[in-house]
Amino acid sequence: MAEKNPYELDFEKYIRNTEPAKKDKTYAWTTAIGLQQVDGLTPSKYLFDTAKRNIEGEITFDEAKSLIDTYYESKTERLDTSEERTEEADKVASRIAQIISEKSFNFSPSHLIAIHGRLFEGIFKFAGKLRDYDISKREWVLDGDTVMYGAAFELKMALDYDFEQERNFNYKNLSIEEIVKHITFFVSRLWQIHAFGEGNTRTTAVFTIKYLRSLGFNVNNDIFAENSWYFRNALVRANYNNLQKGIQENPEFLERFFRNLLMGEHNELKNRYCHIKYSKQAEKKVTQKVTVNVTVKFTANQKKILEEIKKNQFVTQEELAEIIGITRKSINENMKKLQSMNIIERVGADKNGYWKISEL
């Protein structure tokens, strides 16, 4: 398992040893920070320091957000791509924490759109606006294929329809298993509409947390924080059909996520389980090979690189350098070594491709 960011370790003590108010704020921040991994983003040390000040009661959520915004406004030099991604992670994380901490909620498409606007104001030009173009996204779990997302011309109608259906749904007398199945269905369909060009999964996650709380569920835990990439992959599998290949949409991965969240179960939430070519039998054979092949040895940094690739096959070398805490040059050298050992390979173009860990 990859080592945690050293700043994150301090959050655990708040969850274990402090009063409910600090715990609630800690869960808000850990969820907000964890959700950035959906898009391969990592917040800065300044964000973690600001979060701790909020948890300790030194500043409010509004003040924390203002500090983050001011911090980047004060920078006079133009940010490079890596810094821009860190700025996005910091700003969006502070906004998610603020929204999650608020008690207000309105079950409507307008509220979903408003959440997107608040999260990405000043980051995306289209913040708080429905996309006006069709999209496709290559997915690692689909071997590079894409989900069929909602058509741009009917996004508003699709949202109105799904919200109306959910608003009229009667949860009365349903078992918890039936409730989980229905929530899985609603959230997967909401995500598949893909109302926004970017930031759709993070917006869906925040809206889902708020909605579940409005239904009386206590979702103050770290499942979203620790499994945000799995959450997205599970959403992909719940909305993918390829009958020519014998693949049908499969909600079981997303259902496992919600069973853990709402029922306190402990289903394994591993990204590789979501891959269309995954099979337990194949994994067992690979595991046996790895056990026998003891001649393959990795350095500490190589192990960290492999763990990060397992979590996010689209991770960039810049992101790895920041996550692991070594230079981009060192990352590049280690990855070339892993490639020469046939441990990893690059699939697709540099911009849109992904890393694949080979079977040993």
Side-chain angles (χ1 to χ4, degrees):
M1 181 177 291
E3 293 184 11
K4 288 186 177 182
N5 186 309
Y7 309 118
E8 287 185 79
L9 296 178
D10 289 341
F11 286 148
E12 296 180 358
K13 73 178 182 182
Y14 293 114
I15 294 174
R16 291 195 307 266
N17 303 320
T18 60
E19 61 268 23
K22 286 186 178 180
K23 285 185 179 181
D24 289 345
K25 286 189 284 188
T26 301
Y27 283 128
W29 280 107
T30 54
T31 298
I33 291 167
L35 283 174
Q36 304 317 304
Q37 303 238 347
V38 166
D39 287 293
L41 302 176
T42 303
S44 69
K45 180 180 184 299
Y46 185 75
L47 184 280
F48 282 94
D49 290 340
T50 303
K52 291 176 193 173
R53 291 182 62 192
N54 171 254
I55 294 170
E56 290 289 358
E58 296 178 22
I59 56 176
T60 64
F61 278 107
D62 281 338
E63 289 169 333
K65 175 184 175 297
S66 179
L67 284 173
I68 295 297
D69 290 343
T70 303
Y71 174 74
Y72 284 100
E73 288 171 3
S74 67
K75 289 183 177 292
T76 56
E77 295 183 1
R78 188 175 183 277
L79 301 179
D80 61 25
T81 302
S82 177
E83 291 173 320
E84 286 179 351
R85 290 175 64 80
T86 302
E87 178 183 2
E88 178 184 339
D90 286 0
K91 287 183 175 180
V92 178
S94 68
R95 297 166 187 181
I96 288 177
Q98 181 182 37
I99 293 173
I100 289 177
S101 69
E102 295 169 351
K103 304 300 182 184
S104 59
F105 177 74
N106 178 27
F107 183 78
S108 67
S110 61
H111 191 71
L112 175 75
I113 295 169
I115 288 176
H116 186 269
R118 289 182 63 184
L119 293 185
F120 300 106
E121 181 182 5
I123 298 172
F124 300 146
K125 292 180 180 180
F126 48 80
K129 297 179 181 178
L130 299 180
R131 61 179 167 86
D132 56 4
Y133 55 92
D134 290 335
I135 60 171
S136 64
K137 295 189 176 186
R138 296 182 63 184
E139 303 289 353
W140 165 76
V141 289
L142 305 181
D143 253 5
D145 204 356
T146 182
V147 168
M148 295 293 289
Y149 296 108
F153 76 89
E154 63 174 2
L155 292 180
K156 183 64 168 60
M157 290 183 292
L159 283 175
D160 288 343
Y161 177 80
D162 277 16
F163 272 82
E164 186 65 22
Q165 291 295 304
E166 178 65 12
R167 190 178 290 110
N168 293 330
F169 184 79
N170 188 357
Y171 283 93
K172 187 177 180 180
N173 299 324
L174 292 185
S175 67
I176 185 62
E177 287 85 0
E178 292 170 325
I179 291 173
V180 167
K181 282 184 179 294
H182 179 77
I183 287 173
T184 297
F185 175 80
F186 169 69
V187 175
S188 69
R189 291 298 179 263
L190 178 63
W191 178 86
Q192 183 270 337
I193 291 173
H194 212 292
F196 313 104
E198 297 292 340
N200 186 68
T201 301
R202 283 175 282 179
T203 303
T204 300
V206 172
F207 184 88
T208 298
I209 291 169
K210 301 282 286 185
Y211 180 43
L212 291 174
R213 287 180 178 173
S214 76
L215 295 177
F217 289 105
N218 179 9
V219 291
N220 276 349
N221 53 47
D222 54 7
I223 293 178
F224 272 101
E226 294 183 352
N227 301 283
S228 60
W229 187 246
Y230 176 94
F231 176 64
R232 188 187 187 285
N233 286 332
L235 285 164
V236 169
R237 287 304 310 275
N239 289 284
Y240 178 69
N241 284 294
N242 191 325
L243 299 184
Q244 189 175 12
K245 295 181 179 180
I247 302 171
Q248 291 183 302
E249 57 186 36
N250 189 346
E252 67 174 291
F253 307 104
L254 188 59
E255 189 175 324
R256 291 174 194 168
F257 179 91
F258 281 116
R259 289 181 75 91
N260 284 9
L261 180 68
L262 304 178
M263 299 173 64
E265 293 186 352
H266 300 282
N267 299 294
E268 278 194 307
L269 306 179
K270 296 187 180 296
N271 288 299
R272 64 178 180 272
Y273 294 169
C274 298
H275 198 284
I276 57 175
K277 291 184 177 178
Y278 172 80
S279 74
K280 291 184 178 180
Q281 185 175 7
E283 181 173 272
K284 185 177 181 181
K285 290 179 180 179
V286 172
T287 303
Q288 290 171 341
K289 288 182 182 179
V290 173
T291 303
V292 174
N293 187 0
V294 294
T295 60
V296 179
K297 293 183 178 180
F298 305 117
T299 66
N301 285 333
Q302 287 169 355
K303 289 179 181 178
K304 293 176 183 178
I305 289 171
L306 291 172
E307 288 295 339
E308 292 302 323
I309 291 175
K310 288 179 183 177
K311 292 192 293 185
N312 177 10
Q313 279 69 23
F314 294 92
V315 69
T316 66
Q317 292 190 359
E318 290 88 350
E319 292 162 354
L320 286 169
E322 186 168 350
I323 293 170
I324 297 172
I326 59 178
T327 65
R328 163 72 186 277
K329 181 180 179 181
S330 295
I331 291 290
N332 184 264
E333 290 173 349
N334 276 288
M335 296 186 83
K336 284 184 176 179
K337 179 65 175 177
L338 290 170
Q339 284 177 288
S340 70
M341 297 164 63
N342 294 321
I343 302 301
I344 63 173
E345 64 176 301
R346 184 68 178 175
V347 179
D350 290 341
K351 182 177 181 181
N352 298 316
Y354 60 92
W355 295 101
K356 179 180 178 182
I357 299 178
S358 303
E359 296 183 359
L360 300 178

